[in-house]
Structures are given as structure tokens and as C-alpha cells.
């Protein structure tokens, strides 16, 4: 069937990107009565295919990007800098964005995260504080549907209970809990954007265990939920229309149109009163850089020269092994227990067995400890990779499965100007545009933080008398695929791209939504903050329109 991808007349707000930020914002504005159009570069995926996608994900012959059709000229990129950046490993272009395959953990940033420069002398302070974002955090938890409990003594203050009760700790969590208690480490539940009971017309989680890269049951939140709500409220969502550039008026003060291409080779201009770019931490700065003009030769909204700069990630640190008891690995496909004890003060030790780091807290970034109940091979994965049959296969699967566990961690990366998303004119995509160049590396502070996390992890496994079988440290760490910081917010137009509401300093009707506006990233999974900021930006756009 042919799809009408022609532009709409009389549009109040044009949103670029149908991920969590774009869909939540579009829904709020449409619900308030505004005419909204959403332009999405990728396709609509059929939810009926998710069982098939799960089967593909379990087979060793299918790479993770392939499950969500990532790759090829459309998604080409260049990686430069000290470390290779695997951009396509964990992103999705399509209606729903990367929430189609995310892990689903949703934490609020701590109060210290909004003022790291003042407190610790690194990075940049946010132009807003936790209290300003706090009501939007609560609204975001209701919108996404978060299962959680108020049992985290290290979390920032909150007045509201979570919409759903927390998931019960996994079997391996109970093993970790004993070791952590002996070492003086406090543990607590993990807030998850997946249903522990029916919520918002979605069923409760049934435990497929393939949360990444696909939730077949739909119990885990993804942004298609708010895309559907936005469409019910009157929003028009057009898929497979990558925006090529933004155009502005003669004065260079307002965006006038988003120029987009269709699968049929047509090019159209969507005009609107307000424009929101919510295309993620890589494609958002890329679009602004592609939108250069005689008045903006360095790209749109880039008078500060910071569009694409301060590309920031979360790093993974982990230590795993085997113990002499059953861990029931992979019975749960997501984290149910964490510890934020070393978040605000990663250098602190405990009287029961964790030594202090021998460094000032300012010399280390935040650490979020995660207790992985999905360490080691899953039985289906082991069987499919083995390729054998019969009793021999059963014995090999039994030997590979059942007593693995691991302690992971998300590590804060110190923002640095030399980490950036730029354009590579030597390589073009399927529309002839320069592909994004990811220039990325680690600094000494981040490497020290990873080593500190490894020390704590080693102490926990030692307390369990575990045989350590692997470790991810500074030498072999990788990114968590949380793209942050490339269009940072701030009060000073010379040192930021947008203000505290997400509005461009340069063009009054251009707004940016998503993790690209984070001045710092802390060590918390970013999606809840993305959602909270999007709802806050929607409220400010309503005042403008």
C-alpha cells in the first residue's frame, strides 16, 4: 500500500525523531490541541514479528544490529580517536527508536550530577537542578510505567511511590546480598520500565529473558506506546523520511522548514511554527552540522562552536566468575538488584572489608554497581552455538550453564571537548550526505574510576569464593551506547547550544530534546532523564506557541 508522505499545512510543531523524547513531546503537545507532525528516518516495525525477531536474536548466526535492520549505507559512520566506537551495535532507526531494544532500567540522576563542576571541579554544571526536574521525573515514571520501590537509601529524595511494585530479586541476587552484607555494601531494588503487573494496556512481564535486543511480549516500555497515543490525539507520524537539513529565514532567527526525503526519491519541506530535533546524541548534532548556510557556515545553532562537542558515554566495568552453587543464570533478563553506595563518594571504603580508594572523591567519577543475573551463556544460546546432538550436547550445556555470576558497573565519563560527533566528507550515506564521525577516547579520571569499580567487584567475588573467569577493565572496556552531551544545555550562549528549557540560543523556534543536551551524564541510565526533560520542554513550547 502506498503511504502519503507529503507535508501537512498549518503545523504548529514539527518533531524530528520518533524515539522516547520525540514521541512523549509530540503526545503532550497534540493532547493540548496543537497540530504536530513527526518525521522519522526509519521504518515502522511490525510488533507481530517480535517472536520471530527473538528467535533470530537467539541464533549465533544473527548479529545484534541485524535484528533491527541496522547497517549499510543508510547507517554508515566513521570511528576515529583513541578507541573504536561501535555505533550501530546498539541503536535503532525506526518508530520507537532505541527503546525498541533497550534494557529498560530507569533511574533518576542524583543531586550531585547537576553540579559536578561546582562540587568536583570537572565538567559543567547544569542550568537546572534536581528540584526543578523532580516533578517531571514523577510524570515520566507514570508515562513509561515504572516498577520500583522506595528502598534505595542512596537515591535522591522523592515523594511519590512508583506506579508499579518492584520485581522480586533474582536467585543470584540473594547470593550477592549475603556477600554484600558481609562487606558492608548496601543493596536495593532496580526501577524498571517494564510491567510487574498489567499497566497502560500492556501485560505483565512473562520472562522471555531476551530483553535486549527484543521484548516479544511488549511488557517492557517502548516509545511506540506514545507514538500511538500521539496519533490518537491527532499527530501525524511519517516514517522512512530522513530529514536532510533544516532551513531558516533571511534573518537567521527562525527555522522555516525541515527538508526530508522519501523512499520514492521525492524531497519535501515541512513548514511549522516550532521545530524540535529529537534524533539522539549522534544524529541530532549531525543534522545541525548538515544544515549549514551562509549565515551559519559551521552549522545551525552552532555560534558556540559546541555542536557535536563533548560527546560523552557511560563505560562498562565488570568482573565475572563461577561458584560452587546454582545461580540460575538467565532466569531473568534484566537487573533486579543494584548498589548506588559508591555513586556520590566512589573513594569511600567500608569498615567490613572494602578499602578506601586512596584518592579524593574528586579524582573519581560516579559508580553504579549492577548485580548481573544473566552472566554466562544461556542454555538455548549454548545449545545453538554447540551444534551437536543428544547426550553429549546435554552434558556440554549443563557444564556451561548454571553457576555463573558477575558484578557489573556503569561508570561516569568525564566530558571532554576533544570527544565529538562530526562529519566525514570522505564517506557519504545513501542520500549523499557526509556520515557521522565519532571521535572518542578515555581520560585518566574515567580509567581510574573503572579500576576502582573492578576493586570493589573483586572483593565481592572473593567473598563468594568465586573462580574469577573474566574482567572488563580500562584496557578492554566498551561504551554502554548512551550518547550524551553533543548539544549541551547551559545559561551562557558562548558555552552551550541550548538553554535550560532545550531552546536554541541562536534560533528562537528551534528546540532540542534528548540526551544530547546533557552537560554531564553521571552513571545512571539516561532514558528517564530524557523523558523528564522532554516533558519539561513540551511545557515550555506550549508557552511559546
Amino acid at each position: 500500500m502506498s503511504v502519503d508522505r507529503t507535508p501537512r499545512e498549518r503545523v504548529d510543531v514539527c518533531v524530528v525523531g520518533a524515539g522516547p523524547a520525540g514521541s512523549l513531546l509530540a503526545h503532550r503537545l497534540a493532547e493540548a490541541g496543537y497540530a504536530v507532525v513527526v518525521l522519522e528516518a526509519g521504518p515502522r516495525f511490525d510488533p507481530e514479528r517480535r517472536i520471530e525477531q527473538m528467535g533470530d536474536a537467539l541464533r549465533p548466526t544473527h548479529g545484534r544490529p541485524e535484528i533491527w535492520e541496522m547497517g549499510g549505507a543508510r547507517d554508515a559512520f566513521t570511528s576515529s580517536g583513541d578507541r573504536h566506537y561501535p555505533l550501530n551495535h546498539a541503536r535503532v532507526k525506526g518508530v520507537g527508536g532505541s527503546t525498541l531494544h533497550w534494557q529498560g532500567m530507569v533511574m533518576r540522576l542524583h543531586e550531585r550530577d547537576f553540579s559536578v563542576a561546582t562540587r568536583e571541579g570537572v565538567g559543567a554544571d547544569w542550568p537546572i537542578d534536581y528540584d526543578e526536574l523532580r516533578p517531571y521525573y514523577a510524570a515520566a515514571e507514570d508515562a513509561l510505567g515504572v516498577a520500583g520501590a522506595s528502598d534505595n537509601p542512596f537515591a535522591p529524595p522523592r515523594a511519590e511511590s512508583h506506579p508499579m511494585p518492584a520485581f522480586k530479586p533474582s536467585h543470584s541476587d540473594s547470593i550477592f546480598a549475603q556477600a554484600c552484607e558481609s562487606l558492608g555494601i548496601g543493596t536495593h531494588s532496580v526501577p524498571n520500565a517494564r510491567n510487574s503487573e498489567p499497566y497502560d494496556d500492556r501485560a505483565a512481564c512473562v520472562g522471555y529473558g531476551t530483553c535486549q535486543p527484543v521484548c516479544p511480549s511488549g511488557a517492557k516500555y517502548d516509545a511506540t506506546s506514545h507514538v500511538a497515543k500521539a496519533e490518537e490525539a491527532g499527530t501525524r507520524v511519517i516514517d522512512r523520511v530522513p530529514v536532510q537539513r533544516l532551513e531558516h529565514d533571511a534573518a537567521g532567527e527562525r527555522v522555516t522548514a525541515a527538508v526530508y526525503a522519501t523512499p520514492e526519491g521525492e524531497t519535501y519541506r515541512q513548514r511549522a511554527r516550532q521545530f524540535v530535533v529529537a534524533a539522539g546524541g549522534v544524529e541530532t548534532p549531525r543534522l545541525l552540522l548538515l544544515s549549514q548556510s551562509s549565515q551559519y557556515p559551521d552549522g545551525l545553532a552552532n555560534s558556540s562552536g559546541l555542536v557535536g562537542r563533548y560527546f560523552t558515554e557511560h563505560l562498562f566495568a565488570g568482573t565475572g566468575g563461577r561458584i560452587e552453587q546454582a545461580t540460575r543464570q538467565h532466569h531473568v533478563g534484566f537487573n533486579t538488584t543494584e548498589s548506588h553506595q559508591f555513586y556520590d563518594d566512589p573513594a569511600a571504603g567500608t569498615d567490613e572489608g572494602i578499602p578506601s580508594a586512596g584518592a579524593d572523591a574528586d579524582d573519581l567519577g560516579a559508580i553504579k554497581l549492577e548485580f548481573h543475573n544473566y552472566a554466562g551463556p544461556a542454555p538455548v544460546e549454548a545449545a545453538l552455538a554447540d551444534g551437536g546432538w543428544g547426550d553429549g550436547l546435554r552434558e556440554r550445556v549443563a557444564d556451561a550453564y548454571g553457576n555463573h555470576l558477575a558484578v557489573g558497573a556503569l561508570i561516569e565519563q568525564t566530558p571532554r571537548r576533544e570527544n565529538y560527533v562530526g562529519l566525514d566528507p570522505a564517506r557519504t550515506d545513501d542520500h549523499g550526505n557526509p556520515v557521522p564521525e565519532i571521535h572518542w577516547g578515555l581520560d585518566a579520571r574515567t580509567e581510574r574510576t573503572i579500576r576502582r569499580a573492578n576493586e570493589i567487584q573483586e572483593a565481592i567475588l572473593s567473598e563468594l569464593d568465586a573462580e574469577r573467569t573474566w574482567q572488563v577493565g580500562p584496557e578492554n572496556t566498551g561504551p554502554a551506547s548512551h550518547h550524551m552531551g553533543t548539544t549541551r544545555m547551559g545559561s551562557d550562549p558562548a558555552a552551550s547550544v541550548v538553554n535550560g528549557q532545550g531552546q536554541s540560543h541562536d534560533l528562537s523556534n528551534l528546540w532540542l530534546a534528548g540526551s544530547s543536551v546533557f552537560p554531564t551524564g553521571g552513571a545512571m541510565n539516561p532514558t528517564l532523564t530524557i523523558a523528564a526533560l522532554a516533558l519539561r520542554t513540551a511545557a515550555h513550547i506550549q508557552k511559546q506557541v
Side-chain angles (χ1 to χ4, degrees), residues 489-515:
M489 63 165 60
S491 302
D492 182 2
S496 57
V497 178
V498 297
N499 63 21
Q501 290 75 49
Q503 183 181 28
S504 162
H505 291 303
D506 297 347
L507 298 106
S508 61
N509 69 334
L510 174 62
W511 307 75
L512 307 183
S515 55

Side-chain angles (χ1 to χ4, degrees), residues 4-170:
D4 179 13
R5 293 186 170 89
T6 57
R8 173 185 281 182
E9 296 182 2
R10 298 186 181 88
V11 171
D12 293 315
V13 184
C14 174
V15 180
V16 180
S23 63
L24 280 163
L25 190 145
H27 172 238
R28 281 300 171 96
L29 293 174
E31 199 174 42
Y34 298 104
V36 182
V37 168
V38 178
L39 305 175
E40 168 55 48
R44 291 179 186 262
F45 292 97
D46 182 0
E48 298 299 320
R49 285 195 61 245
R50 291 189 178 183
I51 293 290
E52 179 184 341
Q53 288 176 296
M54 179 184 71
D56 290 342
L58 290 170
R59 290 179 169 84
T61 53
H62 287 73
R64 181 169 168 176
E66 184 183 351
I67 307 303
W68 293 105
E69 301 177 12
M70 290 299 300
R74 184 196 72 167
D75 308 315
F77 68 97
T78 297
S79 176
S80 60
D82 300 335
R83 296 186 182 232
H84 174 72
Y85 193 85
L87 179 59
N88 284 340
H89 178 70
R91 66 170 178 163
V92 177
K93 287 184 180 178
V95 175
S98 291
T99 56
L100 292 170
H101 75 156
W102 68 316
Q103 183 74 329
M105 295 183 289
V106 280
M107 305 86 176
R108 300 182 181 191
L109 288 174
H110 282 208
E111 292 167 291
R112 60 80 71 179
D113 293 322
F114 295 89
S115 56
V116 175
T118 297
R119 294 170 185 247
E120 302 177 15
V122 299
D125 289 344
W126 292 52
I128 61 175
D129 60 21
Y130 173 75
D131 284 339
E132 291 177 77
L133 200 55
R134 183 170 167 176
Y136 296 100
Y137 270 135
E141 288 167 345
D142 285 340
L144 272 59
V146 176
S150 299
D151 64 341
N152 182 351
F154 315 106
R158 60 178 299 130
E160 318 81 4
S161 59
H162 290 85
M164 290 175 283
F167 285 89
K168 295 179 180 179
S170 68

Side-chain angles (χ1 to χ4, degrees), residues 69-357:
E69 301 177 12
M70 290 299 300
R74 184 196 72 167
D75 308 315
F77 68 97
T78 297
S79 176
S80 60
D82 300 335
R83 296 186 182 232
H84 174 72
Y85 193 85
L87 179 59
N88 284 340
H89 178 70
R91 66 170 178 163
V92 177
K93 287 184 180 178
V95 175
S98 291
T99 56
L100 292 170
H101 75 156
W102 68 316
Q103 183 74 329
M105 295 183 289
V106 280
M107 305 86 176
R108 300 182 181 191
L109 288 174
H110 282 208
E111 292 167 291
R112 60 80 71 179
D113 293 322
F114 295 89
S115 56
V116 175
T118 297
R119 294 170 185 247
E120 302 177 15
V122 299
D125 289 344
W126 292 52
I128 61 175
D129 60 21
Y130 173 75
D131 284 339
E132 291 177 77
L133 200 55
R134 183 170 167 176
Y136 296 100
Y137 270 135
E141 288 167 345
D142 285 340
L144 272 59
V146 176
S150 299
D151 64 341
N152 182 351
F154 315 106
R158 60 178 299 130
E160 318 81 4
S161 59
H162 290 85
M164 290 175 283
F167 285 89
K168 295 179 180 179
S170 68
H171 177 73
S172 60
D173 284 350
S174 64
I175 299 172
F176 281 123
Q178 297 175 23
C180 288
E181 183 177 2
S182 298
L183 293 170
I185 299 174
T187 61
H188 46 81
S189 65
V190 180
N192 277 279
R194 54 173 49 79
N195 290 1
S196 59
E197 61 187 25
Y199 185 88
D200 200 21
D201 296 327
R202 302 194 309 273
C205 174
V206 294
Y208 278 107
T210 61
C211 310
Q212 287 185 311
V214 59
C215 171
S217 71
K220 182 180 67 176
Y221 173 84
D222 69 64
T224 61
S225 172
H226 278 93
V227 168
K229 292 179 181 181
E231 289 180 316
E232 289 172 6
T235 295
R236 185 180 182 204
V237 180
I238 311 176
D239 72 329
R240 299 176 67 196
V241 286
V243 176
Q244 307 296 292
R245 64 186 180 277
L246 301 176
E247 295 180 337
H248 60 76
D249 61 10
E253 296 175 350
R254 296 179 64 84
V255 176
T256 56
V259 180
Y260 64 91
T262 71
E264 294 75 30
E266 300 287 344
T267 299
Y268 293 112
R269 286 169 172 79
Q270 177 62 66
R271 299 183 178 275
R273 297 166 65 191
Q274 303 287 327
F275 289 82
V276 181
V277 181
V282 173
E283 294 296 337
T284 291
R286 182 191 180 211
L287 176 57
L288 297 177
L289 294 173
L290 288 172
S291 302
Q292 59 186 327
S293 66
S294 58
Q295 287 162 288
Y296 294 103
D298 298 321
L300 207 60
N302 197 22
S303 62
S304 65
L306 295 183
V307 169
R309 293 287 177 178
Y310 293 101
F311 175 64
T312 308
E313 257 286 2
H314 292 135
L315 284 305
F316 178 74
T319 307
R322 304 175 74 156
I323 61 175
E324 294 297 324
Q325 59 178 299
T327 62
R328 302 179 190 171
Q329 68 211 45
H330 290 277
H331 275 216
V332 181
F334 53 91
N335 291 341
T336 49
T337 296
E338 288 187 340
S339 177
H340 297 179
Q341 183 163 332
F342 302 96
Y343 193 93
D344 291 344
D345 189 359
T350 68
D351 294 335
E352 293 83 356
I354 301 295
S356 63

Side-chain angles (χ1 to χ4, degrees), residues 376-395:
V380 174
E381 175 190 355
L384 289 171
D386 184 274
W389 299 91
D391 292 341
L393 172 62
R394 181 178 61 187
E395 292 171 4

